[in-house]
C-alpha cells in the first residue's frame, strides 16, 4: 500500500517515525504535487493541503481510496469527482484551536492591559505607572460560534474565571460554555458582552451577520475580536462602530479584503488592532496534522471509524 | 465601636455597604492620616495602607485593638510598639494574585507571539504573515516562589497545559504545581525552564539569589520574567545574560533602582521588555481589600479567627 504525501518540508523525524510505525506501508514524500504527479497512479492514500487536487488528478489516481487533507478549509477540492469514486476524505478540523485560542486570550489581555500605550512609553523610556490596567477575570465573553476553536477559547476564558456564552445556529449546549443560545436570540445576549469574539466560518448564513445595530447593543466598553472570517461585518459598519464609540476596541485578524491594503483606515485607528490573519499560524501545525493522520491510518488499517470524516456531498 | 479608615477615595458604595451591614459599628472614613489624627483616641480598629502609622500614633490610639493593613508590604509598621500593646494586625496578602498572574500570562504570550514586532508592522501598515509565532501550551514554567501569586500564575499556566514547577525555601508541595523543589535543588530544575518566572519577595535569602551562572543553565530559548523584587539579580548579570544569549528575552517589572532611569540600557535592549512596576495594579484593589476587611470584621465581632494574621514579632 502506498501513502503519497505532497506536503512540503515534512520534518525528517516525522517521516522516520511513520516508516517505522507502519512497516507494511510504503511512504513517498514529495515536495509538492508537481513532484508527485508520477506517483498518483499507485497511491492508495494522498496527504495534501487540498489545494492541488483536480478532477484530472483524481481520475489519474485510480487506486485512491482516502484523501487526508492537512487543512480545515476545502474550497478547492473536486468533491463531485471524489464522491463519484466514493473516496474517503478526512481533514484536520480543530487543528487551529490551540493557536487561535491563545491568540484570542493574548489579544484581549493586550487590549485590557493597554499594551500599545505601554509599549510606546517603553520606546520613549518613560516610567509611567498611571497607564490604566484592566483585568479580564470576572468578565463575560460572548462567542459567535461554538465549534472546536470557540470551545478551546471558552475553556481558557473559564480558567480566567470569565462567564462564557456561546451563540450558534442550533444553540445546543457545548462544553466550556456557561450558556448557549441560537443565533435568533443573539441580540439580547450582546448586552452582556464585555468581550465579543467571532469564530464563525464564512457561509451564506454568517455573511454580514453582524451590523452596526448589533454593535450599538453591546456595552460601550466592549472589545470586539474577529478571528473567523472577514465578511462577518462590513468595513463601514465596523469602522463607524469604533469611531462613534459603540465599542471600545476592535481586534481584527480577518478582513473583507486580504491582505489589508496599505492605505486602509483600520491601520491608523488607535482603537483598532490589526494582525495579518495569523491567529491560526503555529510551528506545531505539520506535526499536529500528521498526528491526526497517524490516528486515522491506524483506524483505516483496522477498518475502524476515522476522525474528522468529510461528506463529499456537503463539502464539510 | 469605632472603625477608622484612613484610605483615600473609598468608593461611596463601599462606605454605604459597610454602614448598612454592620449597623452597631461606627465608621469614620478620613482622607489620609492627617485628617484622622483627632479620631485616633477613639478608634478600636484602623484601616490603613500601613505607611502612616508611627509609634506616637499607636500610643495615642489607646483603644486600638486591630490594625487592618490594606497592603501586602509592611516595612514601615512600628511592630515593636504594636507587639507591646498586643494589637492584632492583618493584611491583604494575596490581593495581588489575580492582576499579577494575568500580567505574567499576558507578557509571556506577548513575547511568544512576537507582539513588539507585530505592533511595529502595524505602525508601518505592513501585512507580514512571516512574523514567527510560538504557542505557550506544552511548555514548562519554573516559578521562583510558591505563594499566593505564584500559585495563581501556576493555575493559569496549567490551564494553558503547561508543566509547572515551583521553587521555594521548603520545597513543600503546593496546589497548581506539578512539582516543587527546595531552593538548594534549583540549579538542576533551571535546565527545564521554557519560562522562568520570579515572584519572590525581597529578603536576605532572596537578595541576589540569581546570578549569571543560573542564566547559563536555562535553555537559550527561555524567557525570564521578574515581577517579584528588583534585587533578585544584578543589572549587570541580567544584561549580559540577554546580550550574550543565555536567555531569549527578559520581561522586567521590578528593578534594582526604581523608577528605572531614563538612560538605562534596559529600555533600549530589543530583547528586554520593561514595564513600570505595574503587575499588581488593579482597578479592583480597594474593593478587594475591603472584602478581606469585611470577612475579618465578621470574624472579629464573633471572636473567631481572622484571615491573614500577621505576627508582629516577625513582621509577616
Amino acid at each position: 500500500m502506498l501513502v503519497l504525501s505532497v506536503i512540503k518540508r515534512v520534518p525528517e523525524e516525522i517521516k522516520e517515525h511513520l516508516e517505522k510505525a507502519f512497516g507494511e506501508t510504503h511512504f513517498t514524500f514529495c515536495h509538492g504535487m508537481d513532484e508527485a504527479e508520477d506517483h498518483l497512479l499507485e497511491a492508495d492514500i494522498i496527504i495534501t493541503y487540498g489545494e492541488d487536487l483536480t478532477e484530472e488528478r483524481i481520475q489519474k489516481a485510480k487506486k485512491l481510496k482516502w484523501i487526508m487533507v492537512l487543512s480545515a478549509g476545502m474550497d478547492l477540492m473536486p468533491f463531485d469527482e471524489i464522491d463519484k469514486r466514493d473516496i474517503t476524505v478526512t481533514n484536520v478540523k480543530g487543528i487551529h484551536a490551540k493557536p487561535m485560542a491563545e491568540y484570542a486570550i493574548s489579544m484581549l489581555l493586550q487590549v485590557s492591559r493597554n499594551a500599545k500605550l505601554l509599549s510606546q512609553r517603553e520606546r520613549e523610556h518613560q516610567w509611567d505607572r498611571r497607564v490604566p490596567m484592566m483585568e479580564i477575570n470576572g468578565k463575560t465573553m460572548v462567542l459567535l460560534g461554538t465549534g472546536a476553536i470557540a470551545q478551546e477559547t471558552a475553556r481558557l476564558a473559564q480558567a480566567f474565571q470569565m462567564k462564557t456564552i456561546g451563540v450558534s445556529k442550533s444553540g445546543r449546549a457545548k462544553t466550556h460554555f456557561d450558556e448557549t443560545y441560537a443565533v435568533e436570540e443573539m441580540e439580547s445576549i450582546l448586552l452582556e458582552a464585555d468581550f465579543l469574539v467571532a469564530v464563525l466560518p464564512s457561509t451564506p448564513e454568517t455573511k454580514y451577520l453582524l451590523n452596526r445595530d448589533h454593535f450599538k447593543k453591546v456595552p460601550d466598553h466592549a472589545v470586539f475580536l474577529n478571528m473567523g472570517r472577514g465578511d462577518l461585518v462590513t468595513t463601514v459598519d465596523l469602522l463607524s462602530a469604533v469611531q462613534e464609540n459603540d465599542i471600545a476596541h476592535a481586534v481584527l485578524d480577518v478582513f473583507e479584503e486580504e491582505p489589508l491594503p496599505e492605505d486602509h483606515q483600520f491601520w491608523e485607528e488607535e482603537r483598532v488592532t490589526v494582525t495579518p490573519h495569523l491567529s491560526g499560524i503555529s510551528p506545531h501545525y505539520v506535526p499536529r496534522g500528521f498526528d491526526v493522520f497517524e490516528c486515522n491510518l491506524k483506524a483505516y488499517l483496522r477498518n475502524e471509524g476515522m476522525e474528522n470524516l468529510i461528506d463529499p456531498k456537503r463539502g464539510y
Side-chain angles (χ1 to χ4, degrees), chain A residues 223-275:
Chain A
V223 179
F224 171 65
L225 184 150
N226 190 3
M227 55 179 181
R229 284 292 179 265
D231 60 6
L232 177 71
V233 50
T234 67
T235 299
V236 173
D237 275 13
L238 189 46
L239 206 50
S240 44
V242 171
Q243 288 174 337
E244 290 166 42
N245 302 310
D246 297 342
I247 57 174
H249 203 105
V251 176
L252 307 175
D253 193 46
V254 290
F255 305 88
E256 284 192 282
E257 186 186 352
E258 293 185 16
L260 191 68
E262 210 187 314
D263 60 354
H264 198 287
Q265 184 65 26
F266 280 154
W267 293 110
E268 278 299 315
E269 274 303 318
E270 189 59 32
R271 295 185 292 110
V272 172
T273 299
V274 169
T275 57

Side-chain angles (χ1 to χ4, degrees), chain A residues 84-127:
Chain A
K84 215 188 290 171
R85 288 265 307 278
D86 208 19
I87 294 166
T88 299
V89 178
T90 59
N91 73 352
V92 288
K93 199 179 73 180
I95 199 173
H96 296 297
K98 282 187 184 191
M100 289 181 74
E102 290 195 8
Y103 169 85
I105 297 292
S106 175
M107 298 313 288
L108 295 178
L109 277 167
Q110 280 187 46
V111 173
S112 302
R113 303 191 61 87
N114 237 319
K116 266 190 193 178
L117 184 54
L118 277 181
S119 175
Q120 189 185 323
R121 291 282 179 273
E122 188 182 12
R123 291 194 300 277
E124 299 162 348
H125 298 203
Q126 209 184 311
W127 182 272

Side-chain angles (χ1 to χ4, degrees), chain A residues 57-82:
Chain A
R57 283 176 175 145
I58 299 291
Q59 284 158 5
K60 199 164 164 187
K62 290 196 186 313
K63 297 171 69 178
L64 187 60
K65 283 169 219 74
W66 168 28
I67 303 167
M68 170 76 207
V69 184
L70 235 57
S71 165
M74 287 171 301
D75 304 343
L76 299 175
M77 292 276 283
F79 276 120
D80 286 345
E81 191 63 26
I82 289 167

Side-chain angles (χ1 to χ4, degrees), chain A residues 17-308:
Chain A
H17 168 75
L18 285 173
E19 278 158 357
K20 209 175 142 192
F22 300 91
E24 311 276 289
T25 307
H26 293 283
F27 290 88
T28 299
F29 293 95
C30 292
H31 189 73
M33 186 56 92
D34 288 347
E35 217 184 280
E37 207 75 58
D38 291 345
H39 303 283
L40 283 174
L41 199 65
E42 297 301 321
D44 299 274
I45 300 169
I46 290 179
I47 311 176
T48 165
Y49 285 124
E51 302 177 325
D52 45 18
L53 284 176
T54 57
E55 254 185 54
E56 294 70 43
R57 283 176 175 145
I58 299 291
Q59 284 158 5
K60 199 164 164 187
K62 290 196 186 313
K63 297 171 69 178
L64 187 60
K65 283 169 219 74
W66 168 28
I67 303 167
M68 170 76 207
V69 184
L70 235 57
S71 165
M74 287 171 301
D75 304 343
L76 299 175
M77 292 276 283
F79 276 120
D80 286 345
E81 191 63 26
I82 289 167
D83 186 32
K84 215 188 290 171
R85 288 265 307 278
D86 208 19
I87 294 166
T88 299
V89 178
T90 59
N91 73 352
V92 288
K93 199 179 73 180
I95 199 173
H96 296 297
K98 282 187 184 191
M100 289 181 74
E102 290 195 8
Y103 169 85
I105 297 292
S106 175
M107 298 313 288
L108 295 178
L109 277 167
Q110 280 187 46
V111 173
S112 302
R113 303 191 61 87
N114 237 319
K116 266 190 193 178
L117 184 54
L118 277 181
S119 175
Q120 189 185 323
R121 291 282 179 273
E122 188 182 12
R123 291 194 300 277
E124 299 162 348
H125 298 203
Q126 209 184 311
W127 182 272
D128 179 4
R129 302 189 73 219
R130 289 157 314 170
V131 173
M133 294 286 113
M134 297 293 291
E135 294 175 20
I136 65 172
N137 68 79
K139 300 270 191 280
T140 296
M141 182 187 281
V142 173
L143 288 121
L144 308 181
T146 61
I149 299 162
Q151 277 176 50
E152 177 65 5
T153 308
R155 187 186 69 76
L156 288 176
Q158 283 189 331
F160 279 92
Q161 293 155 341
M162 282 191 230
K163 179 179 174 184
T164 58
I165 303 178
V167 177
S168 66
K169 205 154 117 180
S170 69
R172 239 193 314 268
K174 289 281 184 79
T175 331
H176 305 306
F177 287 97
D178 295 313
E179 298 169 11
T180 46
Y181 296 91
V183 70
E184 293 76 25
E185 304 165 280
M186 180 169 70
E187 303 218 356
S188 58
I189 306 310
L190 292 176
L191 305 171
E192 289 193 51
D194 298 308
F195 301 125
L196 178 62
V197 175
V199 207
L200 291 168
S202 180
T203 69
E205 287 129 338
T206 62
K207 197 164 181 175
Y208 302 122
L209 176 71
L210 284 190
N211 58 46
R212 181 74 196 278
D213 287 337
H214 293 106
F215 289 114
K216 285 184 172 150
K217 288 258 188 309
V218 301
D220 298 352
H221 66 259
V223 179
F224 171 65
L225 184 150
N226 190 3
M227 55 179 181
R229 284 292 179 265
D231 60 6
L232 177 71
V233 50
T234 67
T235 299
V236 173
D237 275 13
L238 189 46
L239 206 50
S240 44
V242 171
Q243 288 174 337
E244 290 166 42
N245 302 310
D246 297 342
I247 57 174
H249 203 105
V251 176
L252 307 175
D253 193 46
V254 290
F255 305 88
E256 284 192 282
E257 186 186 352
E258 293 185 16
L260 191 68
E262 210 187 314
D263 60 354
H264 198 287
Q265 184 65 26
F266 280 154
W267 293 110
E268 278 299 315
E269 274 303 318
E270 189 59 32
R271 295 185 292 110
V272 172
T273 299
V274 169
T275 57
H277 203 150
L278 50 65
S279 59
I281 292 178
S282 165
H284 309 301
Y285 190 90
V286 170
R288 280 183 190 144
F290 275 95
D291 281 349
V292 177
F293 168 72
E294 187 176 343
C295 269
N296 271 346
L297 181 57
K298 280 181 193 155
Y300 180 86
L301 293 173
R302 292 190 200 122
N303 258 315
E304 289 170 6
M306 294 198 275
E307 281 177 56
N308 294 347

